[in-house]
Amino acid sequence: MKEYALKFVSGKYQGGQFRLSPDTDIIIGRATDVDMVVVEDMVSRRHALISTKGGRVTVRDLGSTNGTFLNGERVGREPVEVKEGDRILVGSSVLKLVAYNASEPSHAHSAEGNFEHRNTTVLVTRHMSGSIEEIPLPDLLQLLSNSRKSGVLVIHSSSREGRIYMKDGQVSFAIIDNNFDVGPEKSFYRILRWDTGTFELLPPDDSEFLTEIKESTGGLIMEAMRLLDEINRLGDRKPALSDIYALAHPMNPPLRDLTPQQLDVLQAVHNLGRIRTVLDRVPHDDLVIYESLVHLIENRYLKKLD
């Protein structure tokens, strides 16, 4: 029979695993007499139960205050089956069901304790953190939304920093590198395209913004995925961010054939030149700008500068 483990994919013990023995019930909570003790304010004394009985892995909530979530959906007192790769949210800790690997690290915090033994105390920091590779941002945002989290989600990818502000699970604002020239919705959609890096959920702060995002978090995620798919379809046809373009000379195709959006992009290229700046300054979403750029380049309204 295949053996499984719960792998911590966020928090202080990211990468650690708790081996799930066959035909066993494992209680997660803050009390000292449970099987996996998670010392954290948002975890109840007896929070959730993981069972491996009957040849399958299931999870159910034990009446916790803040709830137990499986892949972003709140679970009740009835057992729900957990498949390999599924993610369970308890407090601010995300645990992923994985095939058991004896070579994976197990983090000790007491003389007798590592994640492979029962009655282990796991001291988890209050703030959720982890890697985007382990928890893709769309999945993470869905978890935070359904569990009605509040705070500032700070994401670092390469040399860039994105911040997503949340109130009770609703995204209210987003910004990249403190650049207010780019609107909050456009910033949010760009951040969700990042597929490497780290994240940390910090407590709410007192920041106030002139404009806030009104779209639901679920709607934002769906739109971000649509934009990503459409932009990826353009492939190598779209210019690089560092490219500089100018008006073609002579310009043979007529301007009257262009749409208003394409004219906006044409004017922005004439005024600004660099593609990254055009994407930031033109108010349309990135897909509209990229599609306009591809049309303008392929129809020789624009030429690339060396």
Side-chain angles (χ1 to χ4, degrees), residues 108-122:
H109 198 83
S110 60
E112 76 281 5
N114 63 46
F115 290 149
E116 296 183 31
H117 293 81
R118 298 169 69 82
N119 297 320
T120 297
T121 297
V122 182

Side-chain angles (χ1 to χ4, degrees), residues 51-206:
S51 175
T52 58
K53 293 180 177 179
R56 63 186 188 136
V57 180
T58 61
V59 61
R60 66 184 181 92
D61 189 70
L62 297 177
S64 65
T65 301
N66 293 299
T68 303
F69 296 84
L70 176 64
N71 297 328
E73 299 294 330
R74 188 163 188 158
V75 299
R77 291 182 175 270
E78 292 298 318
V80 178
E81 186 169 3
V82 185
K83 302 289 188 180
E84 186 174 348
D86 286 350
R87 298 176 179 89
I88 300 169
L89 175 65
V90 175
S92 64
S93 297
V94 180
L95 302 97
K96 182 179 180 181
L97 185 68
V98 299
Y100 175 66
N101 183 352
S103 66
E104 287 284 334
S106 296
H107 297 274
H109 198 83
S110 60
E112 76 281 5
N114 63 46
F115 290 149
E116 296 183 31
H117 293 81
R118 298 169 69 82
N119 297 320
T120 297
T121 297
V122 182
L123 296 180
V124 178
T125 56
R126 186 169 184 176
H127 308 318
M128 179 186 294
S129 63
S131 72
I132 299 173
E133 290 88 343
E134 286 283 5
I135 313 178
L137 289 175
D139 295 349
L140 176 62
L141 265 295
Q142 195 67 54
L143 281 172
L144 298 178
S145 174
N146 288 345
S147 55
R148 300 183 64 83
K149 299 288 188 186
S150 296
V152 184
L153 184 64
V154 182
I155 306 103
H156 290 99
S157 182
S158 299
S159 60
R160 313 208 73 185
E161 179 187 90
R163 288 178 172 257
I164 298 176
Y165 294 78
M166 304 193 71
K167 299 177 182 177
D168 297 324
Q170 172 61 43
V171 174
S172 60
F173 196 79
I175 190 169
I176 299 174
D177 295 333
N178 207 32
N179 182 5
F180 286 89
D181 287 338
V182 182
E185 289 90 351
K186 184 183 286 191
S187 295
F188 178 86
Y189 297 142
R190 289 184 182 180
I191 292 171
L192 257 67
R193 299 209 294 268
W194 297 353
D195 55 9
T196 61
T198 61
F199 68 84
E200 182 179 14
L201 182 65
L202 302 180
D205 61 27
D206 56 0

